[in-house]
Amino acid sequence: MTTTEYNQCVRELADGLYRFACKSMNDQEEAKDVVQQAFVTLWEKREMVAAEKGKSFLFTIVYRRCMDIHRTRGRTRSTENLNENVLTEQPKPHDLKKILQNALSTLDTQAKNLVLLKDYEGYSYEEIATLTDLNTTQVKVYLHRARKELRQYLVSRAHII
Amino acid sequence: MEINPNNIEEQILLYVDGELSTEEAGNLLQYIALHPQWRILLEEYKSLVLPPEDELVFEGKEALLQPEPQVLPFKPSRKPVLMRRAAAVALIAGAAGLTWLFSRQDIGSALPGSTPVALVHQPVAVDTTTPGAPATVTPTPTVMIARSNTQTMTTAKNGVVQPATALPGAQVARHESTPVDPIAGNLPVAVGEAPPKQRALEMQRPLALTEAESADALASKASLPGWLPVSDQKLEGLNGLIAHIRGVKDSVASKAAQLKRTTFVIRLGEKEIAFRK
């Protein structure tokens, strides 16, 4: 990867990586650090990374870093605790986006990351499997389970409202 | 895959995630069209897809950029044009110099060891039937230019130029090349050369002919094809040319002598190899 290609990765991927890290960790400063660290790693290893592999390389680093942070800080919260937090925020019924973000935060870290990679970045099951060191079947199962949990959350929320 | 109530939720999730082929998606939508009770489930899952979060932008992007190597745009300047013109002028000058040099070499080819440029051929009738008797010489002034590098040409009786390889002893009138200047003494000798006595007679013979001889010669040679009369003035010009050639010869000889005294040194790094005669 040349310097020009690296800079192109910065311009095209920095926002997506930051968005993914923010949603994954719910911490913008921490997300910024993770993204910067990912680009520093890419720059140091640019001789070994082809230009077309830049995106998957960066998302793999950010995904793993997010998982590490969740593990070390014990921030993988249970769904029950998150449901309580989400319910106290009381978003308006018509604010579907806010409701969805709250529902997303009820998922465990891995399921949330899979949903983010699928919906925000549009990766296929196979690509997500490559990024996350899972197999395609696992990705499919975890994603479907996450979707069902999100739907369950929305149904229960509608019932409450 | 056949769609049924047991797998339709999975098919809907695959459809929402964009993992179904066009045909599979068509089959699913067709099934839902036939069974509308599943349409609500499809709409719910479609609504769960996260909308893009465009407002989240990474602020420190510029700090991550690395300085790129500068690429100067190609701007054809006038300099190459000037250089091309200078090169063209140099080429033309070089060609002119080579032409001049070759023309000088033509003159220099009259040096020893090369073919004579200008010779005055004077056909000499030699009576070879009576050995020992003095040869009867009938000088006829004729000038021709020989440019062959391999052979000394002689003028045949009929005026046609032939190689001087005539068989010795043949009962024909023989022609011989006779130099008009002592420098020709260094020239190669034609095959079938006349005896020394004849050469001595020819050397003593004056170049200028009497009027009667000239008139006879002109009358006899005028009918020959390709024959051109040569006047004394042209012979004087030829002598001037020979004088020039002699100068060139002396110059080359002096340079050769200078080269013999010259020491050549070849430098290989710090070592020097000297070549001395």
Side-chain angles (χ1 to χ4, degrees):
Chain A
M1 176 181 290
T2 63
T3 305
T4 306
E5 291 166 341
Y6 165 82
N7 286 339
Q8 192 176 356
C9 283
V10 172
R11 294 187 185 97
E12 294 179 357
L13 302 176
D15 291 340
L17 288 164
Y18 177 66
R19 197 180 304 134
F20 172 79
C22 275
K23 296 296 177 185
S24 176
M25 296 185 292
N26 287 322
D27 189 329
Q28 292 189 0
E29 286 303 315
E30 212 159 31
K32 194 173 178 180
D33 290 343
V34 169
V35 172
Q36 282 177 340
Q37 195 173 354
F39 276 111
V40 169
T41 307
L42 176 63
W43 175 251
E44 289 172 350
K45 297 185 177 180
R46 66 187 183 282
E47 302 292 339
M48 297 176 285
V49 180
E52 61 271 15
K53 300 285 184 184
K55 184 178 179 182
S56 59
F57 181 85
L58 288 166
F59 270 97
T60 302
I61 292 175
V62 171
Y63 169 81
R64 289 177 182 171
R65 185 63 186 152
C66 290
M67 295 297 288
D68 290 343
I69 289 172
H70 279 295
R71 285 194 198 102
T72 54
R73 295 183 182 179
R75 292 174 62 175
T76 307
R77 292 167 285 189
S78 67
T79 306
E80 294 173 357
N81 293 336
L82 282 171
N83 278 340
E84 290 174 4
N85 294 335
V86 167
L87 288 173
T88 55
E89 291 179 3
Q90 295 292 328
K92 296 176 181 178
H94 62 275
D95 195 354
L96 180 61
K97 193 173 176 179
K98 186 77 176 175
I99 295 170
L100 272 177
Q101 292 301 326
N102 289 337
L104 190 65
S105 62
T106 64
L107 300 176
D108 65 86
T109 306
Q110 188 173 61
K112 183 165 61 176
N113 288 340
L114 295 183
V115 173
L116 291 172
L117 289 172
K118 185 67 187 168
D119 289 353
Y120 283 166
E121 303 304 323
Y123 281 123
S124 65
Y125 290 170
E126 195 174 347
E127 289 168 329
I128 294 172
T130 305
L131 294 177
T132 58
D133 286 337
L134 301 171
N135 61 47
T136 309
T137 305
Q138 285 175 310
V139 171
K140 175 184 166 185
V141 170
Y142 293 162
L143 257 176
H144 287 191
R145 189 185 297 162
R147 300 275 191 211
K148 287 176 183 175
E149 286 183 16
L150 288 173
R151 176 175 172 270
Q152 192 62 39
Y153 172 82
L154 287 177
V155 169
S156 62
R157 173 101 190 139
H159 179 70
I160 292 169
I161 294 170
Chain B
M1 177 184 285
E2 187 180 350
I3 300 172
N4 54 57
N6 294 327
N7 65 7
I8 188 165
E9 187 172 10
E10 182 185 359
Q11 290 297 305
I12 288 173
L13 286 168
L14 288 171
Y15 174 76
V16 169
D17 286 341
E19 297 288 334
L20 289 183
S21 66
T22 310
E23 184 182 0
E24 290 169 336
N27 292 338
L28 176 67
L29 294 176
Q30 191 176 3
Y31 181 85
I32 291 174
L34 294 173
H35 306 85
Q37 67 272 22
W38 297 108
R39 182 170 298 279
I40 299 171
L41 187 64
L42 174 64
E43 295 302 326
E44 285 176 354
Y45 278 123
K46 281 172 74 173
S47 65
L48 290 175
V49 176
L50 300 175
E53 296 273 354
D54 294 333
E55 66 272 14
L56 279 176
V57 177
F58 185 74
E59 298 294 343
K61 222 178 291 182
E62 296 301 319
L64 293 174
L65 294 174
Q66 297 290 336
E68 296 182 18
Q70 288 188 344
V71 180
L72 296 176
F74 176 72
K75 289 180 180 177
S77 64
R78 300 183 67 182
K79 232 176 184 178
V81 175
L82 292 174
M83 292 182 70
R84 279 200 294 270
R85 287 178 182 169
V89 169
L91 190 65
I92 292 169
L98 283 175
T99 307
W100 178 80
L101 186 64
F102 281 127
S103 65
R104 298 274 297 174
Q105 283 179 350
D106 284 345
I107 295 170
S109 63
L111 292 172
S114 62
T115 306
V117 172
L119 292 175
V120 175
H121 293 264
Q122 293 179 325
V124 178
V126 180
D127 186 4
T128 55
T129 54
T130 50
T136 305
V137 178
T138 308
T140 304
T142 305
V143 174
M144 64 169 293
I145 304 297
R147 289 185 181 274
S148 169
N149 290 326
T150 56
Q151 294 174 318
T152 300
M153 308 299 286
T154 58
T155 307
K157 189 177 181 181
N158 57 359
V160 178
V161 177
Q162 294 177 347
T165 53
L167 291 173
Q171 299 295 326
V172 295
R174 199 173 60 179
H175 303 271
E176 186 178 354
S177 301
T178 304
V180 294
D181 195 88
I183 193 173
N186 295 325
L187 299 176
V189 181
V191 179
E193 190 177 1
K197 194 175 180 181
Q198 285 185 355
R199 294 186 62 192
L201 289 172
E202 291 165 12
M203 294 295 288
Q204 292 172 1
R205 171 174 47 80
L207 288 173
L209 301 176
T210 62
E211 290 184 3
E213 287 174 342
S214 297
D216 292 342
L218 284 173
S220 61
K221 296 295 179 183
S223 60
L224 295 175
W227 178 80
L228 293 173
V230 177
S231 63
D232 289 345
Q233 286 82 6
K234 290 187 179 178
L235 283 176
E236 287 175 4
L238 192 62
N239 284 332
L241 181 64
I242 290 172
H244 177 75
I245 292 169
R246 186 181 294 164
V248 173
K249 174 193 169 188
D250 293 341
S251 172
V252 170
S254 66
K255 286 178 181 174
Q258 188 180 357
L259 281 174
K260 284 182 181 176
R261 293 193 302 270
T262 306
T263 300
F264 295 93
V265 177
I266 298 176
R267 286 184 180 171
L268 297 172
E270 296 179 353
K271 292 184 179 179
E272 292 186 351
I273 303 171
F275 294 90
R276 294 185 179 88
K277 181 88 175 183

Coordinates of all heavy atoms in Angstrom, one line a residue, chain A residues 3-4 6-7 10-11 14-15 18-19 23 28 32 35-36 39 43 97 100-101 104 115-116 118-120 124-125 140 144 147-148 151 154, chain B residues 9-10 13-14 16-19 41 44-45 47-69:
Chain A
T3 N 1.6 5.5 0.1 CA 1.2 6.6 1.0 C -0.2 7.1 0.5 O -1.1 7.5 1.3 CB 2.2 7.7 1.0 OG1 3.5 7.1 1.4 CG2 1.9 8.8 2.0
T4 N -0.3 7.3 -0.8 CA -1.5 7.8 -1.4 C -2.7 6.9 -1.1 O -3.8 7.4 -0.7 CB -1.4 7.9 -2.9 OG1 -0.2 8.7 -3.2 CG2 -2.6 8.6 -3.5
Y6 N -2.9 4.8 1.4 CA -3.2 4.9 2.9 C -4.0 6.2 3.2 O -5.0 6.1 3.9 CB -1.8 5.0 3.6 CG -2.0 5.4 5.0 CD1 -2.3 4.6 6.1 CD2 -1.8 6.8 5.4 CE1 -2.5 5.0 7.4 CE2 -1.9 7.2 6.7 CZ -2.3 6.3 7.7 OH -2.5 6.8 8.9
N7 N -3.6 7.3 2.6 CA -4.4 8.5 2.8 C -5.8 8.4 2.3 O -6.8 8.9 2.9 CB -3.7 9.7 2.1 CG -2.5 10.1 2.9 OD1 -2.3 9.8 4.1 ND2 -1.6 10.8 2.2
V10 N -7.7 6.7 4.9 CA -8.1 7.6 6.0 C -9.3 8.4 5.6 O -10.3 8.5 6.4 CB -6.9 8.5 6.3 CG1 -7.3 9.6 7.3 CG2 -5.7 7.7 6.9
R11 N -9.3 8.9 4.4 CA -10.5 9.8 4.0 C -11.8 9.0 3.9 O -12.8 9.5 4.2 CB -10.1 10.5 2.7 CG -9.0 11.5 2.8 CD -8.8 12.2 1.5 NE -7.6 13.1 1.5 CZ -6.4 12.8 1.1 NH1 -6.2 11.6 0.5 NH2 -5.4 13.6 1.2
A14 N -12.3 6.4 7.8 CA -12.2 6.9 9.2 C -13.6 7.1 9.8 O -13.8 6.7 10.9 CB -11.4 8.2 9.2
D15 N -14.5 7.7 9.0 CA -15.8 8.0 9.6 C -16.6 6.6 9.9 O -17.2 6.5 11.0 CB -16.7 8.8 8.6 CG -16.1 10.2 8.5 OD1 -15.4 10.6 9.4 OD2 -16.4 10.8 7.4
Y18 N -15.0 5.0 12.9 CA -15.4 5.8 14.1 C -16.8 5.5 14.5 O -17.1 5.3 15.7 CB -15.1 7.2 13.9 CG -15.5 8.2 15.0 CD1 -14.8 8.1 16.2 CD2 -16.5 9.1 14.9 CE1 -15.2 9.0 17.3 CE2 -16.9 9.9 15.9 CZ -16.2 9.9 17.1 OH -16.5 10.7 18.1
R19 N -17.7 5.5 13.6 CA -19.1 5.2 13.8 C -19.3 3.8 14.4 O -20.0 3.6 15.4 CB -19.9 5.2 12.5 CG -21.4 5.4 12.6 CD -22.0 5.4 11.2 NE -21.4 6.5 10.4 CZ -21.0 6.4 9.1 NH1 -21.0 5.2 8.5 NH2 -20.5 7.4 8.5
K23 N -20.6 3.2 18.3 CA -21.8 2.4 18.6 C -21.4 1.1 19.4 O -22.2 0.6 20.2 CB -22.5 2.0 17.3 CG -23.0 3.2 16.6 CD -24.1 3.9 17.3 CE -24.6 5.1 16.6 NZ -25.5 5.9 17.4
Q28 N -17.2 8.1 22.7 CA -16.6 8.7 21.5 C -15.1 8.9 21.7 O -14.4 8.7 20.7 CB -17.3 10.1 21.3 CG -18.8 9.9 20.9 CD -19.4 11.2 20.4 OE1 -18.7 12.3 20.4 NE2 -20.6 11.2 20.1
K32 N -12.4 7.2 19.3 CA -11.4 8.0 18.5 C -10.0 7.4 18.7 O -9.2 7.3 17.8 CB -11.4 9.5 19.1 CG -10.6 10.4 18.2 CD -10.9 11.8 18.7 CE -10.1 12.8 17.8 NZ -10.3 14.2 18.3
V35 N -9.7 4.2 16.7 CA -9.5 4.4 15.2 C -8.1 4.9 14.9 O -7.5 4.5 14.0 CB -10.6 5.4 14.8 CG1 -10.3 5.9 13.3 CG2 -12.0 4.8 14.9
Q36 N -7.6 5.8 15.8 CA -6.2 6.3 15.5 C -5.2 5.2 15.6 O -4.3 5.1 14.8 CB -5.9 7.4 16.6 CG -6.6 8.8 16.2 CD -6.3 9.8 17.3 OE1 -6.0 9.5 18.4 NE2 -6.5 11.1 17.0
F39 N -5.2 3.1 12.5 CA -4.5 3.7 11.3 C -3.0 3.7 11.6 O -2.3 3.6 10.6 CB -5.1 5.1 11.1 CG -6.3 5.1 10.3 CD1 -7.5 5.5 10.8 CD2 -6.3 4.8 8.9 CE1 -8.7 5.5 10.1 CE2 -7.4 4.8 8.2 CZ -8.6 5.1 8.7
W43 N -0.4 2.1 9.0 CA 0.7 2.8 8.4 C 2.0 2.0 8.7 O 2.9 1.9 7.8 CB 0.8 4.2 9.0 CG 2.0 4.9 8.6 CD1 3.1 5.2 9.4 CD2 2.3 5.5 7.3 NE1 4.0 5.9 8.6 CE2 3.5 6.1 7.4 CE3 1.6 5.5 6.1 CZ2 4.1 6.7 6.3 CZ3 2.1 6.1 5.0 CH2 3.4 6.7 5.1
K97 N -35.4 5.9 15.6 CA -34.0 5.8 15.6 C -33.4 5.7 17.0 O -32.5 4.8 17.2 CB -33.4 7.1 14.9 CG -31.9 6.9 14.5 CD -31.5 8.2 13.7 CE -30.1 8.1 13.4 NZ -29.7 9.3 12.6
L100 N -34.2 2.3 18.4 CA -33.4 1.3 17.8 C -32.0 1.3 18.5 O -31.4 0.2 18.8 CB -33.2 1.5 16.3 CG -34.3 0.8 15.4 CD1 -34.0 1.2 14.0 CD2 -34.2 -0.7 15.6
Q101 N -31.5 2.5 18.7 CA -30.2 2.6 19.4 C -30.3 2.0 20.8 O -29.3 1.3 21.3 CB -29.7 4.0 19.5 CG -29.4 4.6 18.1 CD -28.3 3.9 17.4 OE1 -27.4 3.3 18.0 NE2 -28.4 3.8 16.1
L104 N -30.4 -1.7 20.5 CA -29.1 -2.2 20.1 C -28.2 -2.3 21.3 O -27.4 -3.3 21.5 CB -28.4 -1.2 19.1 CG -27.1 -1.7 18.4 CD1 -27.4 -3.0 17.5 CD2 -26.5 -0.6 17.6
V115 N -24.3 -6.8 14.1 CA -25.4 -6.0 13.6 C -24.8 -4.7 13.0 O -25.2 -4.3 11.9 CB -26.5 -5.7 14.6 CG1 -27.5 -4.7 14.1 CG2 -27.2 -7.0 15.1
L116 N -23.9 -4.1 13.7 CA -23.3 -2.9 13.2 C -22.5 -3.1 11.8 O -22.6 -2.3 10.9 CB -22.3 -2.3 14.2 CG -22.9 -1.8 15.5 CD1 -21.9 -1.4 16.5 CD2 -23.7 -0.5 15.2
K118 N -23.1 -5.4 9.8 CA -24.0 -5.8 8.7 C -24.8 -4.6 8.2 O -24.9 -4.3 7.0 CB -25.0 -6.8 9.2 CG -26.0 -7.4 8.2 CD -25.2 -8.2 7.2 CE -26.1 -8.6 6.0 NZ -25.3 -9.1 4.9
D119 N -25.3 -3.8 9.2 CA -26.2 -2.7 8.8 C -25.5 -1.4 8.3 O -25.9 -0.8 7.4 CB -27.2 -2.3 9.9 CG -28.2 -3.4 10.1 OD1 -28.2 -4.4 9.3 OD2 -28.9 -3.4 11.1
Y120 N -24.4 -1.1 9.1 CA -23.7 0.1 8.7 C -22.7 -0.1 7.5 O -22.6 0.8 6.7 CB -22.9 0.6 9.9 CG -23.7 1.3 11.0 CD1 -23.2 1.5 12.3 CD2 -24.9 1.7 10.7 CE1 -23.9 2.1 13.3 CE2 -25.7 2.4 11.7 CZ -25.2 2.6 13.0 OH -25.9 3.2 13.9
S124 N -21.2 -8.9 4.0 CA -21.9 -10.1 3.9 C -21.5 -11.0 5.1 O -20.6 -10.7 5.8 CB -21.5 -10.8 2.6 OG -20.2 -11.2 2.6
Y125 N -22.3 -12.1 5.2 CA -22.0 -13.1 6.3 C -20.5 -13.5 6.2 O -19.8 -13.7 7.2 CB -22.9 -14.3 6.2 CG -24.4 -14.0 6.6 CD1 -25.3 -14.9 6.4 CD2 -24.7 -12.8 7.2 CE1 -26.7 -14.7 6.7 CE2 -26.1 -12.5 7.5 CZ -27.0 -13.5 7.3 OH -28.3 -13.2 7.6
K140 N -24.3 -16.2 10.9 CA -25.7 -16.2 10.6 C -26.6 -16.4 11.8 O -27.6 -15.7 12.1 CB -26.0 -17.3 9.6 CG -27.4 -17.6 9.2 CD -27.5 -18.8 8.3 CE -28.9 -19.3 8.1 NZ -29.0 -20.5 7.3
H144 N -29.1 -13.6 13.4 CA -30.5 -13.9 13.5 C -31.0 -13.8 14.9 O -32.1 -13.3 15.2 CB -30.8 -15.3 12.9 CG -30.7 -15.3 11.4 ND1 -31.1 -16.3 10.6 CD2 -30.2 -14.4 10.5 CE1 -30.9 -16.1 9.3 NE2 -30.3 -14.9 9.3
R147 N -31.3 -10.2 15.8 CA -32.5 -9.5 15.1 C -33.8 -9.9 15.9 O -34.7 -9.0 16.1 CB -32.7 -10.0 13.7 CG -31.5 -9.7 12.8 CD -31.6 -8.3 12.2 NE -30.6 -8.2 11.1 CZ -30.1 -7.0 10.8 NH1 -30.4 -5.9 11.5 NH2 -29.3 -6.9 9.8
K148 N -33.8 -11.1 16.3 CA -35.0 -11.6 17.0 C -35.1 -10.8 18.4 O -36.2 -10.5 18.8 CB -35.0 -13.1 17.2 CG -35.3 -13.9 16.0 CD -35.1 -15.4 16.2 CE -35.3 -16.1 14.9 NZ -35.1 -17.6 15.0
R151 N -36.2 -7.3 17.8 CA -37.7 -7.3 17.5 C -38.5 -7.5 18.8 O -39.5 -6.8 19.0 CB -38.0 -8.4 16.5 CG -39.5 -8.5 16.2 CD -39.8 -9.6 15.1 NE -41.2 -9.8 15.0 CZ -41.9 -10.7 15.7 NH1 -41.2 -11.5 16.5 NH2 -43.2 -10.9 15.6
L154 N -38.5 -4.3 20.7 CA -39.5 -3.3 20.1 C -40.9 -3.7 20.4 O -41.8 -2.8 20.7 CB -39.2 -3.2 18.6 CG -38.0 -2.5 18.2 CD1 -37.9 -2.5 16.6 CD2 -38.0 -1.0 18.7
Chain B
E9 N -39.4 -17.5 8.8 CA -38.8 -16.4 9.6 C -37.3 -16.3 9.2 O -36.7 -15.2 9.1 CB -39.0 -16.6 11.1 CG -38.4 -15.5 11.9 CD -38.8 -15.6 13.4 OE1 -39.2 -16.6 13.8 OE2 -38.6 -14.6 14.1
E10 N -36.7 -17.5 9.1 CA -35.3 -17.5 8.7 C -35.1 -16.9 7.3 O -34.2 -16.2 7.1 CB -34.7 -19.0 8.8 CG -33.2 -19.0 8.4 CD -32.8 -20.5 8.3 OE1 -33.6 -21.4 8.5 OE2 -31.6 -20.7 8.0
L13 N -35.4 -13.2 7.6 CA -34.1 -12.6 8.1 C -33.0 -12.6 7.0 O -32.2 -11.6 6.9 CB -33.7 -13.4 9.3 CG -34.5 -13.1 10.6 CD1 -34.2 -14.2 11.7 CD2 -34.2 -11.7 11.1
L14 N -32.9 -13.7 6.3 CA -31.9 -13.7 5.2 C -32.2 -12.7 4.2 O -31.3 -12.0 3.6 CB -31.9 -15.1 4.6 CG -31.3 -16.2 5.4 CD1 -31.5 -17.6 4.8 CD2 -29.8 -16.0 5.6
V16 N -33.8 -9.8 4.7 CA -33.5 -8.5 5.3 C -32.0 -8.2 5.2 O -31.5 -7.1 5.0 CB -34.1 -8.4 6.7 CG1 -33.5 -7.2 7.4 CG2 -35.6 -8.4 6.7
D17 N -31.2 -9.3 5.5 CA -29.8 -9.1 5.5 C -29.2 -9.2 4.1 O -27.9 -9.0 3.9 CB -29.1 -10.3 6.3 CG -29.3 -10.1 7.8 OD1 -29.6 -8.9 8.2 OD2 -29.2 -11.0 8.5
G18 N -30.0 -9.3 3.1 CA -29.5 -9.3 1.7 C -28.8 -10.5 1.3 O -27.9 -10.5 0.4
E19 N -29.0 -11.7 1.9 CA -28.3 -12.9 1.6 C -29.0 -13.8 0.7 O -28.5 -14.9 0.4 CB -28.0 -13.6 3.0 CG -27.1 -12.8 3.9 CD -25.6 -12.7 3.5 OE1 -25.2 -13.6 2.7 OE2 -25.0 -11.8 3.8
L41 N -44.5 -9.6 9.8 CA -43.2 -10.0 10.3 C -42.1 -9.5 9.4 O -41.0 -9.0 9.9 CB -43.1 -11.6 10.4 CG -41.9 -12.2 11.0 CD1 -41.8 -11.8 12.5 CD2 -41.8 -13.7 10.8
E44 N -41.7 -5.8 10.1 CA -41.0 -5.5 11.4 C -39.5 -5.7 11.3 O -38.7 -4.9 11.8 CB -41.6 -6.5 12.5 CG -42.9 -6.1 13.0 CD -43.5 -7.1 14.0 OE1 -42.9 -8.2 14.2 OE2 -44.6 -6.8 14.5
Y45 N -39.1 -6.8 10.7 CA -37.6 -7.0 10.5 C -37.0 -6.0 9.6 O -35.8 -5.6 9.9 CB -37.3 -8.4 10.0 CG -37.4 -9.5 11.1 CD1 -38.2 -10.6 11.0 CD2 -36.6 -9.4 12.2 CE1 -38.3 -11.5 12.0 CE2 -36.6 -10.3 13.2 CZ -37.4 -11.4 13.1 OH -37.5 -12.3 14.2
S47 N -37.9 -2.9 9.5 CA -37.7 -1.7 10.2 C -36.6 -1.8 11.3 O -36.2 -0.8 11.8 CB -39.1 -1.4 11.0 OG -39.3 -2.4 11.9
L48 N -36.1 -3.0 11.6 CA -35.0 -3.1 12.5 C -33.6 -2.8 12.0 O -32.7 -2.8 12.7 CB -35.0 -4.6 13.1 CG -36.2 -4.9 14.0 CD1 -36.1 -6.4 14.4 CD2 -36.2 -4.0 15.3
V49 N -33.6 -2.7 10.7 CA -32.3 -2.4 10.1 C -31.9 -1.0 10.5 O -32.6 0.0 10.4 CB -32.3 -2.5 8.5 CG1 -31.0 -2.1 7.9 CG2 -32.7 -4.0 8.1
L50 N -30.6 -0.9 11.0 CA -30.2 0.4 11.5 C -30.0 1.4 10.4 O -29.4 1.1 9.4 CB -28.8 0.2 12.3 CG -28.8 -0.8 13.4 CD1 -27.4 -0.9 14.0 CD2 -29.7 -0.2 14.5
P51 N -30.6 2.6 10.6 CA -30.4 3.7 9.6 C -28.9 4.2 9.7 O -28.3 4.1 10.8 CB -31.4 4.7 10.1 CG -31.6 4.5 11.5 CD -31.4 3.1 11.8
P52 N -28.4 4.7 8.6 CA -27.1 5.3 8.7 C -26.9 6.4 9.6 O -27.8 7.3 9.8 CB -26.8 5.7 7.2 CG -28.2 5.9 6.7 CD -29.1 4.9 7.3
E53 N -25.8 6.5 10.3 CA -25.5 7.5 11.3 C -24.5 8.5 10.7 O -23.3 8.5 11.0 CB -24.9 6.9 12.6 CG -25.9 5.9 13.3 CD -26.7 6.7 14.3 OE1 -26.5 7.9 14.4 OE2 -27.6 6.1 14.9
D54 N -25.0 9.3 9.8 CA -24.1 10.2 9.1 C -23.6 11.3 9.9 O -22.6 12.0 9.6 CB -24.8 10.8 7.8 CG -25.1 9.7 6.8 OD1 -24.4 8.7 6.8 OD2 -26.1 9.9 6.1
E55 N -24.3 11.6 11.0 CA -23.8 12.7 11.8 C -22.5 12.4 12.6 O -21.9 13.3 13.1 CB -24.9 13.1 12.8 CG -25.3 12.1 13.9 CD -26.3 11.1 13.4 OE1 -26.6 11.1 12.2 OE2 -26.9 10.4 14.3
L56 N -22.2 11.1 12.7 CA -21.0 10.7 13.4 C -19.8 10.8 12.4 O -19.7 10.0 11.5 CB -21.1 9.3 14.0 CG -21.8 9.1 15.3 CD1 -22.0 7.7 15.6 CD2 -21.1 9.9 16.4
V57 N -19.0 11.8 12.7 CA -17.8 12.0 11.8 C -16.5 12.1 12.6 O -16.5 12.7 13.7 CB -18.0 13.4 11.0 CG1 -16.8 13.6 10.1 CG2 -19.2 13.3 10.1
F58 N -15.5 11.4 12.1 CA -14.2 11.4 12.8 C -13.5 12.7 12.6 O -13.3 13.1 11.4 CB -13.4 10.2 12.2 CG -12.1 10.1 12.9 CD1 -12.1 9.5 14.2 CD2 -10.9 10.4 12.4 CE1 -10.9 9.3 14.9 CE2 -9.7 10.2 13.0 CZ -9.7 9.7 14.3
E59 N -13.2 13.4 13.6 CA -12.7 14.8 13.5 C -11.2 14.8 13.3 O -10.7 15.8 12.7 CB -13.0 15.6 14.8 CG -14.5 15.7 15.1 CD -15.2 16.6 14.1 OE1 -14.5 17.3 13.4 OE2 -16.4 16.5 14.0
G60 N -10.5 13.8 13.8 CA -9.0 13.9 13.6 C -8.4 13.3 12.4 O -7.3 12.7 12.4
K61 N -9.2 13.4 11.3 CA -8.8 12.8 10.0 C -7.5 13.4 9.5 O -6.6 12.6 9.1 CB -9.9 12.9 9.0 CG -10.2 11.7 8.2 CD -11.3 11.9 7.2 CE -12.6 12.0 7.9 NZ -13.8 12.2 7.0
E62 N -7.4 14.7 9.5 CA -6.2 15.3 8.9 C -4.9 14.9 9.6 O -3.9 14.9 9.0 CB -6.4 16.9 9.0 CG -7.5 17.4 8.1 CD -7.4 17.0 6.7 OE1 -6.3 17.1 6.1 OE2 -8.4 16.6 6.0
A63 N -5.0 14.7 10.9 CA -3.8 14.3 11.7 C -3.3 13.0 11.3 O -2.1 12.6 11.5 CB -4.1 14.4 13.2
L64 N -4.2 12.1 10.8 CA -3.8 10.8 10.4 C -3.2 10.7 9.0 O -2.5 9.8 8.6 CB -5.0 9.8 10.4 CG -5.6 9.6 11.8 CD1 -6.9 8.8 11.6 CD2 -4.6 8.8 12.6
L65 N -3.4 11.8 8.2 CA -2.9 11.8 6.8 C -1.3 11.9 6.9 O -0.8 12.5 7.7 CB -3.4 12.9 6.0 CG -5.0 12.8 5.8 CD1 -5.4 14.1 5.1 CD2 -5.3 11.6 4.9
Q66 N -0.7 11.2 5.9 CA 0.7 11.2 5.8 C 1.1 12.1 4.6 O 0.4 12.1 3.6 CB 1.3 9.8 5.6 CG 1.0 8.9 6.8 CD 1.8 9.3 8.0 OE1 2.9 9.9 7.9 NE2 1.3 8.9 9.2
P67 N 2.3 12.8 4.7 CA 2.7 13.6 3.5 C 3.0 12.6 2.3 O 3.7 11.7 2.4 CB 3.9 14.3 4.0 CG 4.4 13.5 5.1 CD 3.2 12.9 5.8
E68 N 2.4 13.0 1.2 CA 2.5 12.2 0.0 C 3.7 12.7 -0.8 O 4.0 13.9 -0.8 CB 1.3 12.2 -0.9 CG 0.1 11.6 -0.2 CD -1.1 11.6 -1.1 OE1 -1.0 11.8 -2.3 OE2 -2.3 11.5 -0.5
P69 N 4.4 11.8 -1.5 CA 5.5 12.3 -2.3 C 5.0 13.2 -3.4 O 4.0 12.9 -4.1 CB 6.1 11.0 -2.9 CG 5.1 10.0 -2.7 CD 4.3 10.4 -1.6

